[in-house]
Amino acid sequence: MDARTCLIVDDSRIIRKVARRIVEGLGFEVDEAADGAEALAYCASVMPDVILLDWNMPVMDGLTFLRRLRSQAGGDTPKVLFCTIETRPDRIAEGLAAGADDYVMKPFDGEILHSKLAEVGAV
């Protein structure tokens, strides 16, 4: 069986590093992208099993990325978790309506991330 893959999309190098450590500990092979445009280009060549997605990023934000991802061939496959500081219920609903599978509030830890990934069937 091939290793599960995860793409971490966040403009913060520190957040990517923390998330990488957690997700690798859950047995995923991890790649990173600093914005939605970089992530979309990555997904065009290699579709990951899971995407941890920040909302607020330069170049292309998470919501725009998610809408474009879900409209491309195979883009309905990855489990997508928004990992963000957005807390307003209307923003959360907007993210879920755009195709996110779940939502994780920053800051998060390994226990929270593991439980969210389990809820969406990724672990």
Side-chain angles (χ1 to χ4, degrees):
M1 184 174 145
D2 292 335
R4 296 166 299 166
T5 57
C6 178
L7 178 63
I8 300 168
V9 187
D10 199 299
D11 57 324
S12 166
R13 186 182 54 77
I14 294 167
I15 296 290
R16 291 195 312 266
K17 183 177 179 179
V18 169
R20 173 185 279 276
R21 189 172 299 132
I22 293 168
V23 175
E24 284 179 340
L26 297 173
F28 285 86
E29 288 186 7
V30 177
D31 278 305
E32 301 177 14
D35 60 62
E38 192 178 315
L40 207 55
Y42 176 93
C43 291
S45 62
V46 180
M47 194 63 74
D49 297 309
V50 174
I51 299 172
L52 301 183
L53 180 62
D54 186 22
W55 191 300
N56 299 301
M57 297 177 288
V59 185
M60 181 189 294
D61 67 24
L63 195 62
T64 302
F65 162 79
L66 182 57
R67 288 182 174 136
R68 291 185 184 172
L69 172 76
R70 292 304 195 204
S71 70
Q72 74 182 39
D76 57 340
T77 305
K79 298 292 184 185
V80 178
L81 297 182
F82 259 122
C83 299
T84 182
I85 59 171
E86 290 285 347
T87 59
R88 293 189 355 238
D90 61 317
R91 295 293 274 175
I92 294 169
E94 186 179 10
L96 295 173
D101 292 285
D102 212 333
Y103 206 87
V104 181
M105 302 305 298
K106 287 180 182 175
F108 54 83
D109 60 20
E111 187 177 324
I112 292 168
L113 201 51
H114 182 261
S115 71
K116 288 289 189 176
L117 287 167
E119 284 176 30
V120 300
V123 291

